[in-house]
Amino acid sequence: DHASAPLTADVDLRAAGKAVPIRGYPDSPPGNPQSAGGSGEQSLQAVSGGAYPESPGAASSWDGAEQTSPGSLPRWAQEAFQHAQLCCEQQRFSEAVPLFRRILRALEDERQEEDVSRSAVAEVWAHLGVAMQSLDRVAEAVESYQKAASLDPSLHVCFANLATLHAYLQERDKAVEYIERALALDSLNPTYAQIRNQLEAAAATAASTESTAAAAATDVTATPADPGAAVAA
């Protein structure tokens, strides 16, 4: 059985002084974390940055006028990106996914001719990852975050989201690796620290359970058989 939906919260997309943060994602703020033992029916929520539309327990300062898009995208791509972003803000993630994909396909054709930065393309991949995660399409979310991070390794929020997804898949080693990479880029981020603490607590619980089971198995093996018991023919 998979674990419950991973702990997530509002965070900045990049380290201080970096480019425009990702906006328009669902969020779960630090003051209202999702419990490690919560319902498995909860949808996966991605770590996000910037200001967002309302979500349960969230304090929103989002204003539709604040929509942004990566600055080095061609104008047509910026307009398409803002349309996809609006779909995300309205929780219409299934409509946003093909828009983000269309932008990425077109950018692949135009990158040799246009001055499109790797970081701008990375942010589109990161947005696609959050849309996929919001739809519980875990494998596609993982792939999108990995592509975003490969294009722009400063996107520490992608590493944090990869950590929560691998934790959800019960792949603890990968989860720890990714949250450590996120913390290496933003060491004071309380959300990342909380995710790491949750992973450490889960590991301690698992180790304790295994130790108890091993001790019980040893006791059973060490208990001598009843000398009066007959062997069935």
Side-chain angles (χ1 to χ4, degrees), residues 13-38:
L13 174 64
R14 300 168 180 269
K18 292 289 184 177
V20 177
I22 284 182
R23 301 174 185 270
Y25 294 161
D27 60 301
S28 175
N32 184 28
Q34 296 175 11
S35 169

Side-chain angles (χ1 to χ4, degrees), residues 15 48 65 73 75 83 128 138 155 162 173 194 201 221 223 231:
S48 52
L73 292 179
R75 183 171 182 79
H83 183 192
L128 176 60
V138 175
L155 296 183
L162 283 165
D173 289 346
Q194 190 174 13
T221 303
T223 301
V231 178

Side-chain angles (χ1 to χ4, degrees), residues 170-183:
Q170 299 185 18
E171 297 171 348
R172 181 185 175 277
D173 289 346
K174 288 184 178 180
V176 170
E177 174 189 347
Y178 280 120
I179 200 58
E180 292 297 343
R181 292 180 71 176
L183 281 162

Side-chain angles (χ1 to χ4, degrees), residues 59-227:
S60 172
S61 58
W62 177 78
D63 184 324
E66 293 183 5
Q67 290 180 23
T68 62
S69 59
S72 70
L73 292 179
R75 183 171 182 79
W76 67 264
Q78 292 186 30
E79 293 174 354
F81 184 91
Q82 289 171 0
H83 183 192
Q85 199 174 30
L86 179 61
C87 289
C88 288
E89 288 160 359
Q90 296 175 347
Q91 311 294 296
R92 293 156 47 206
F93 300 107
S94 60
E95 296 177 44
V97 165
L99 294 174
F100 286 132
R101 281 180 162 167
R102 194 173 307 144
I103 294 168
L104 289 165
R105 282 196 302 268
L107 288 176
E108 282 299 312
D109 296 334
E110 294 197 12
R111 279 185 66 187
Q112 301 303 320
E113 303 173 13
E114 300 266 358
D115 184 20
V116 180
S117 71
R118 290 169 62 88
S119 63
V121 179
E123 289 194 30
V124 181
W125 276 112
H127 276 78
L128 176 60
V130 173
M132 290 297 191
Q133 187 167 346
S134 300
L135 293 169
D136 293 348
R137 293 165 63 172
V138 175
E140 291 160 295
V142 167
E143 180 185 12
S144 298
Y145 291 137
Q146 287 175 335
K147 288 186 176 181
S150 69
L151 288 166
D152 186 353
S154 73
L155 296 183
H156 50 74
V157 72
C158 291
F159 294 130
N161 282 331
L162 283 165
T164 61
L165 288 171
H166 283 295
Y168 177 75
L169 295 170
Q170 299 185 18
E171 297 171 348
R172 181 185 175 277
D173 289 346
K174 288 184 178 180
V176 170
E177 174 189 347
Y178 280 120
I179 200 58
E180 292 297 343
R181 292 180 71 176
L183 281 162
L185 291 166
D186 190 2
S187 61
L188 300 180
N189 191 300
T191 300
Y192 297 173
Q194 190 174 13
I195 292 171
R196 181 171 62 182
N197 291 342
Q198 187 184 38
L199 288 170
E200 290 174 348
T205 299
S208 176
T209 300
E210 289 175 4
S211 176
T212 301
T218 300
D219 288 344
V220 170
T221 303
T223 301
D226 182 354

Side-chain angles (χ1 to χ4, degrees), residues 38-56:
S39 169
E41 296 177 358
Q42 288 180 306
S43 63
L44 296 170
Q45 290 187 308
V47 177
S48 52
Y52 309 89
E54 292 291 349
S55 69

